[in-house]
Amino acid sequence: MSNKEIEDKLQEGIYGKKQIRPSERKRFLGTIRERVVLALTKGQLMQDVSLQELEKAMQQHPETKLLLNGDVASKFMKEEKKLAAKYNIPYTNVMNKDADSDLGAVLTYDYAVDIEDIFVPDKKEEPEEKPQESGFLSTVKSWFTSN
């Protein structure tokens, strides 16, 4: 063995195997962006606002696996785990104390699929319209208040 090979083996033993795109792997719970079908933020995962999108993606991509962020309490991941079981999709809780990801769940393949839109947009609640008041009192109020 050459000195370079010995040095590489020592480095691998100390620091582990070299990985491509380590920053992407930290964010996408151990996988890289080009393999991701759908990504949910921690907030979306905790509020169950994107379950329909996750279910649709699981139906369209039955050979995927679901990566769940281990930093999120398991009580917030019950519905996602039920969906994974329903569609026979394996799931894994990813615990990485060195990486702080904003993502709560990632539906991914083991190979590149390059799907352009992997993020579910946050749904903003529409403000409720105030019921129209009618009668003499509302007419008088409208004279003194501006909308």
Side-chain angles (χ1 to χ4, degrees), residues 106-117:
V106 175
L107 190 64
T108 182
Y109 280 101
D110 290 332
Y111 52 87
V113 290
D114 255 343
I115 295 175
E116 189 172 326
D117 293 325

Side-chain angles (χ1 to χ4, degrees), residues 26-29 40-43 69 100-105 119:
K26 286 179 181 177
R27 179 162 191 226
F28 291 102
L29 306 178
L40 303 176
T41 64
K42 287 179 183 176
N69 192 329
D100 185 28
S101 177
D102 63 326
L103 300 178
F119 294 102

Side-chain angles (χ1 to χ4, degrees), residues 21-40:
R21 303 183 200 157
S23 61
E24 269 188 34
R25 288 184 185 275
K26 286 179 181 177
R27 179 162 191 226
F28 291 102
L29 306 178
T31 191
I32 52 179
R33 191 277 173 227
E34 66 191 22
R35 297 177 180 176
V36 175
V37 174
L38 185 74
L40 303 176

Side-chain angles (χ1 to χ4, degrees), residues 46 69-77:
M46 287 190 258
N69 192 329
D71 290 338
V72 178
S74 61
K75 68 180 179 181
F76 295 117
M77 296 186 277

